[in-house]
Structure formats: structure tokens, C-alpha cells
Amino acid sequence: MTNLTIVANIHAKSDKIDLVRAELEKLIPITRAEEGCLQYDLHQDNDNPAHFMFFESWENRELWQTHMNAPHLAAYMAATNGAVENFTLNEMSQIG
């Protein structure tokens, strides 16, 4: 089975950039320690500071689903409620 790649794009409201960034940064050490997490890197767009992107690699979809249901994700969702303009998530497989 191939690893699961996740690309998550988070667009913060313009007046909530610092809040969203701080809450996203809290996720990094906890998630990197999770079973099945191979890569969990946060990026911020150089031209649009409201745009954040997580590039993730997981051993499999089941372990990623465990992550998605973890308490620290629920805490992030509560802390950023109303602060995110748009969120998209793509589940992908490496082909080359």
C-alpha cells in the first residue's frame, strides 16, 4: 500500500492571521509524534500571509483518520471557529 499524501489549504480571515497561525503551529509537534505520521510541514504563502498549507505524509489512511479525530484537532477547530475563510483538503497518492 502506498503512503497517503494530504495537502490542506487554510485561508484565514485577514484580521485573524496571527490567531490561525499560532493555532496551526501548536499542531506540529503533537502531530509529528503521532503513529503513522511521516511528514507534517506547515507553509505560509509569501505573497498572501492569510494562506497556509500543510503538506503531510501518512503511512496509511486509517492512521490519518485517527489523527483527524484526535483531541488536538478538535481544540484547533474550537480555537479557530469563525477565523477561517476557506479550507480545502486533498487526499493524494504519489505517482512519480
Side-chain angles (χ1 to χ4, degrees):
M1 176 183 266
T2 60
N3 296 342
L4 176 67
T5 300
I6 300 294
V7 178
N9 286 281
I10 304 102
H11 294 265
K13 291 185 177 177
S14 60
D15 61 336
K16 301 292 183 185
I17 294 170
D18 291 339
L19 167 72
V20 172
R21 179 178 173 155
E23 293 300 322
L24 290 170
E25 288 176 332
K26 289 179 187 178
L27 298 174
I28 296 169
I30 300 166
T31 301
R32 285 181 177 165
E34 287 182 81
E35 180 184 2
C37 180
L38 304 172
Q39 184 177 358
Y40 194 76
D41 296 330
L42 178 62
H43 303 265
Q44 186 174 25
D45 190 298
N46 292 337
D47 295 324
N48 177 7
H51 179 196
F52 300 93
M53 186 269 291
F54 266 118
F55 184 86
E56 310 173 29
S57 182
W58 293 87
E59 287 181 19
N60 57 53
R61 190 172 194 281
E62 293 72 28
L63 291 170
W64 173 69
Q65 283 293 315
T66 300
H67 159 71
M68 291 302 291
N69 293 308
H72 55 277
L73 261 289
Y76 161 79
M77 295 297 289
T80 60
N81 186 32
V84 174
E85 188 76 41
N86 186 30
F87 172 78
T88 59
L89 186 140
N90 297 96
E91 296 182 42
M92 307 181 88
S93 298
Q94 183 175 349
I95 59 170

